[in-house]
Amino acid sequence: MYGHQAIRNMSPAYPQFFRAAEGALITDVDGNEYVDLMCSWGPIVLGHRDPVVTQAVREQMEKGDCLDGPGPVLVDLAEALVDAIDDADWILFGKNGTDATTACLTIARAHTSRAVVLVARGVYHGAAPWCSPVPAGTLPSDRAAMGYFEYNDQADFDRAVEAAGSDLAGVMLTPFRHVEGEDQELVDVEFARHVRRRCDELDALLILDDVRCGFRFAHGGSWEPIGVSSDLSAWSKAIANGYPLAAVTGRESLRDAASAVFLTGSFWMNSTPMAAALATIRRLDAIDGVSLMQRAGARLRAGVLTQAADSGLTIAYTGPDVMPYMTFAGDVHHERMTRFAEAALASGVYLHPKHNWFMSCAMDDAVIDRALRATEQAFAAVRRHFGPR
């Protein structure tokens, strides 16, 4: 196996293959059932096999999926997303988050006729050569027009802007800083506003990589609540509740550039994922899915913090409630977190020791309480093995 699902990068205790899922639960091929705190690495936002989405998929499959062109569902979905997302005047579709972030990069360069795009150090934007976290097989030239700065550091950002000079095409940012194995960092609102001002001053584009966060923070762009707008946004993961789809949204002024670049894929126009996405977006709106996930996340956070304190263990629980991450103090090599994850797994909760977790709308109070019973056992296992700290 490869990528983030390569079991060689995880504890041997982890199952590699799964056979079924329902709601907030997932079952491996040996019949073990877990509360799924990874939500399939983010795509599951309503819950596994949500009945409304499943029905929409079945109805579309009866009509067709991979045709010579898109079905009318593309228009319905595009209109629904443009209505939901304040910064969207148009939309184009792809398959994966990397498709979307790379398209944003290309459109920004086409629109500005400039080369340099700035990103925060260490932040994940996909698996293409320009952004892959693993350098094997890539060339220095793949990143020759990339610039880097520290997230939430205005002075370092301004330094990177000055280094780019008149060749600055845009800035790509995630809604908050999430780097594998490190504590998460919420965006400083003044930093976000500063980036917006500098982009406006320099006629550069602000690109929001909303692949991981989209439709969990807000029913629209993740920076909508802080009042910072983007020029381009990249979407995937939760957009279709587990069906393969990605999207780029942008302002009217960028329509010509988006039309000029060559973007395509043999399966990019498949209708089934679009039907799933349309059902997902409508259902999230109807049930106020963001509030449901925030409630579940707040309950999980409160429970985990109480358990850690009761165990005499010092932890950091960082990031937003809907996408939290936990670390132990002094756990440089993630030994404590690995032991915690193994014990949680044995007690029926699937989480990752180095990656943020995700909430879904299927996580009601009973599910969170079930998860907390497992994390209580996990804290006890860490204390037994390492002692209080």
Side-chain angles (χ1 to χ4, degrees), residues 119-134:
V119 297
R121 290 187 186 89
V123 173
Y124 183 75
H125 290 294
W130 68 269
C131 59
S132 172
V134 178

Side-chain angles (χ1 to χ4, degrees), residues 188-371:
D188 179 86
V189 176
E190 287 307 312
F191 173 76
R193 291 172 178 167
H194 179 73
V195 173
R196 177 70 272 176
R197 285 193 299 268
R198 293 306 310 270
C199 286
D200 290 340
E201 291 168 4
L202 300 167
D203 291 325
L205 303 185
L206 174 53
I207 304 164
L208 190 66
D209 177 355
D210 228 349
V211 168
R212 189 178 296 195
C213 306
F215 292 103
R216 277 193 166 87
F217 276 28
H219 195 71
S222 291
W223 275 0
E224 182 182 270
I226 65 172
V228 177
S229 61
S230 63
D231 300 303
L232 290 166
S233 292
W235 307 78
S236 190
K237 288 198 183 288
I239 199 172
N241 200 52
Y243 289 85
L245 193 70
V248 172
T249 59
R251 296 191 179 280
E252 182 61 35
S253 60
L254 305 177
R255 187 187 294 270
D256 288 346
S259 300
V261 301
F262 186 72
L263 302 169
T264 192
S266 297
F267 307 103
W268 280 21
M269 295 298 176
N270 284 27
S271 292
T272 297
M274 295 182 188
L278 182 60
T280 298
I281 301 308
R282 288 174 172 172
R283 185 147 168 76
L284 283 171
D285 185 37
I287 65 175
D288 192 6
V290 170
S291 293
L292 290 176
M293 288 181 281
Q294 288 173 342
R295 173 187 167 87
R299 189 179 185 90
L300 183 66
R301 178 188 289 269
V304 167
L305 291 176
T306 298
Q307 290 172 351
D310 291 346
S311 300
L313 298 168
T314 302
I315 67 167
Y317 196 93
T318 58
D321 286 348
V322 293
M323 293 172 56
Y325 180 57
M326 192 189 92
T327 56
F328 287 92
D331 192 22
V332 177
H333 300 295
H334 299 94
E335 294 173 341
R336 289 173 176 80
M337 196 60 213
T338 297
R339 179 57 62 99
F340 179 89
E342 290 174 342
L345 194 73
S347 297
V349 167
Y350 190 94
L351 53 81
H352 196 280
K354 298 180 184 179
H355 193 288
N356 72 271
W357 314 336
F358 296 88
M359 297 295 102
S360 78
C361 299
M363 293 178 181
D364 58 17
D365 289 354
V367 168
I368 296 300
D369 290 346
R370 177 174 173 175

